[in-house]
């Protein structure tokens, strides 16, 4: 919000609250389609990250960096840089301290230095790496192979596995705590009854499970730390949950239900009162106010066709949402 005059900031915040924005599909691409027993599966599941200058978007096996236009005027259509290295699609990636760490369908992890040609690739899992995070010289990864792993990035030990955690379930989401002492895994909730577990980063030991009485299949697709003790989660059981580890690990402090009974693929907060979530049907993005129980605003980004919102990111003025075949931008300065 720095550099935006106060009067403009008030107008923009009112626009967010009332859902007033200009919408545009700024990038479009062809979906990969696979026919399997006469069913068509769309395989492209884009992920993205945002910093002050660029939007980074995964498309198939590459990650592309698109410059953000000055004065908040959207996105340039041609990538400034392309980061490659995977043999199959990038599943997820993290952007930290001018490094990109990505996990791919080929079971490998690739580390890129954004400004420079340095990159490292190492074989990490027996099956696809569904999620990664990267903080303080350590990478954590989660895979379809039902393990989460901790990797060293220190000089001379790059790509060395420090711990392998047996999760008994596919790992869909992972995040390192801001204190760099533990990490959380969000799993499929099929083989193990607790989809949200916190592990010690130094020993790899289980510290705690969050919540009780999850239904089978209530997998957690995205997790987000606001502070070392405040954590948001969402997934297949259609709930956003807000956890305060200081008060209780058994019960979340707040929860919000997706009103149309759709799975929730992704979640982000502004570290204050606002949460944005992406649903599994018709590209629905919802804005929530933590002080209210009902959804504040919703935006349908792809109808009549249907696609999940695989990833969303926002700054003070714009929200970016990636669906199966396009990147949509909501501009709240309008």
């Amino acid at each position: 919000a720095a550099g935006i005059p106060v009067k403009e900031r008030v107008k923009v915040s009112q626009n967010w609250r009332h859902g007033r924005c200009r919408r545009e599909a700024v990038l479009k691409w062809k979906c990969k389609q696979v026919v399997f027993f006469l069913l068509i599966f769309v395989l492209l599941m884009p992920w993205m990250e945002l910093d002050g200058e660029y939007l980074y978007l995964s498309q198939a096996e590459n990650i592309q960096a698109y410059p953000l236009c000055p004065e908040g005027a959207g996105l340039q259509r041609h990538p400034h840089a392309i980061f490659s290295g995977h043999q199959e699609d990038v599943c997820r990636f993290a952007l930290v301290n001018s490094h990109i760490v990505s996990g791919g369908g080929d079971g490998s992890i690739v580390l890129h230095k954004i400004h420079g040609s340095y990159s490292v690739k190492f074989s990490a899992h027996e099956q696809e790496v569904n999620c990664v995070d990267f903080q303080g010289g350590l990478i954590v990864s989660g895979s379809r192979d039902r393990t989460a792993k901790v990797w060293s990035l220190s000089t001379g030990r790059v790509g060395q596995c420090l711990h392998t955690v047996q999760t008994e379930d596919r790992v869909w989401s992972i995040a390192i705590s801001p204190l760099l002492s533990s990490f959380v895994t969000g799993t499929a909730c099929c083989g193990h009854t607790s989809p949200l577990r916190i592990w010690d980063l130094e020993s790899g030991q289980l510290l705690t499970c969050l919540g009780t009485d999850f239904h089978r299949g209530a997998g957690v697709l995205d997790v987000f730390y606001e502070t070392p003790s405040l954590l948001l989660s969402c997934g297949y059981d259609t709930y956003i949950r807000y956890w305060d580890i200081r008060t209780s690990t058994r019960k979340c402090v707040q929860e919000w239900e997706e009103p149309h009974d759709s799975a929730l693929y992704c979640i982000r907060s502004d570290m204050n009162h606002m949460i944005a979530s992406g649903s599994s049907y018709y590209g629905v993005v919802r804005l929530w106010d933590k002080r209210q129980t009902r959804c504040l605003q919703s935006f349908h980004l792809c109808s009549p066709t249907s696609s999940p919102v695989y990833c969303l990111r926002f700054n003070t003025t714009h929200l970016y949402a990636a669906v199966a075949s396009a990147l949509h931008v909501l501009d709240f300065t309008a």
Side-chain angles (χ1 to χ4, degrees), residues 214 231-233 237 239-243 252 254-256:
F214 285 97
L231 176 72
L232 283 159
S233 67
D237 73 352
Y239 280 92
I240 298 168
R241 291 188 174 87
Y242 196 38
W243 305 90
C252 62
Q254 271 176 287
E255 62 182 24
W256 298 269

Side-chain angles (χ1 to χ4, degrees), residues 2-51:
I4 302 175
V6 174
K7 192 175 171 186
E8 181 70 14
R9 272 202 301 245
V10 171
K11 187 187 93 173
V12 168
S13 75
Q14 289 297 320
N15 286 346
W16 280 94
R17 178 159 288 282
H18 297 293
R20 289 191 294 256
C21 62
R22 189 167 61 234
R23 307 182 196 189
E24 191 183 359
V26 286
L27 299 170
K28 293 183 179 177
W29 52 85
K30 283 194 167 66
C31 289
K32 272 195 198 169
Q33 292 191 337
V34 174
V35 179
F36 184 70
F37 288 121
L38 301 179
L39 293 170
I40 295 177
F41 293 94
V42 177
L43 289 183
L44 212 54
M45 294 167 67
W47 193 252
M48 68 177 146
E49 295 291 351
L50 200 58
D51 66 13

Side-chain angles (χ1 to χ4, degrees), residues 170-221:
R170 183 179 190 145
V171 186
W172 281 117
S173 53
I174 201 161
I176 297 175
S177 158
L179 285 182
L180 310 183
S181 58
S182 60
F183 65 98
V184 63
T185 53
T187 56
C189 203
C190 293
H192 191 283
T193 54
S194 183
L196 270 174
R197 282 170 278 171
I198 295 176
W199 312 83
D200 186 80
L201 206 46
E202 206 173 316
S203 68
Q205 296 298 308
L206 178 66
L207 294 175
T208 188
C209 300
L210 295 184
T212 56
D213 304 325
F214 285 97
H215 296 298
R216 182 178 164 80
V220 173
L221 295 176

